[in-house]
Amino acid sequence: APLMSQEEYLSLVPSGATYSTVHAAATNKIASAHVQDIKRSLPSPSEVSVPISMGAGAFRAVGRTISASGIGDMKDRFKVMIADAQSPEAKAELSDLATQMQISMNQEVAADPITIVVSSMAGGSGAGMFIDVAEALKGAIGSANWNDQVISMLFTPDVFAEFGDGVKKMVPNTLGALSELTAGFFRNSPTPATNALYSKFGMNANPSAAYSLGANYNFVIGRKNTGGVDFGSQTGMYLATGQAI
């Protein structure tokens, strides 16, 4: 398959950057009262030898450090994508598609966008980043009434069973991600330290009963279930998820 275009792909690791670079970017300009709380969840540069230009090395905390440093870039890119999706050109394309599918556009054109974050919660990048990605998306949406309607679809380690024993190394990532996801679901606002991190990128969550850290609706997706359904492979799982969306 061809590589994604630069308009569709955002690298969070600048060319030539090391882990020390992104760690500093994630932790600088944070109020002194909260900086230690942020650093506590991010590995010290002296403990990390992962070449992050190639990914997070299957370490969730490394992935989280990279996303924490790039929240502002994600938010800015999401703003561009939202503007493109709501442009007259996009609506014209959607209308043409609806005509081909014989769907009435009278109600759908005025509907709010549906935003879906698709991620693994097994490897280091996916498990470490998906909550920050959802928060950056909400920051880009701003005060629009669909800000609290973000959906996530998250793949568990068994989707990657064809990797063999390497899957076992992914399980701790998923446990950590699920723990943070569950804790965030029951919060009406970020913790003060998380808020300090987000606010330096111009993101200020408004406490409300509708707020939860990350996506508002989370679907955890495995490769098979106890009812005998088995998608067989990563490709089968991706095809099924695409069809569901």
Side-chain angles (χ1 to χ4, degrees), residues 177-192:
L178 277 173
S179 299
E180 188 171 356
L181 184 68
T182 303
F185 183 79
F186 291 103
R187 292 196 63 89
N188 292 331
S189 64
T191 64

Side-chain angles (χ1 to χ4, degrees), residues 12-13 26 41 54-55 95 105 128 135 154 196 208 215:
L12 297 180
V13 178
S41 65
M54 303 297 291
S95 179
M105 289 289 291
E135 285 295 312
L154 307 169
S208 72

Side-chain angles (χ1 to χ4, degrees), residues 82-98:
I82 291 169
D84 288 345
Q86 295 181 312
S87 68
E89 294 80 6
K91 291 181 179 179
E93 291 180 9
L94 188 60
S95 179
D96 290 342
L97 178 61

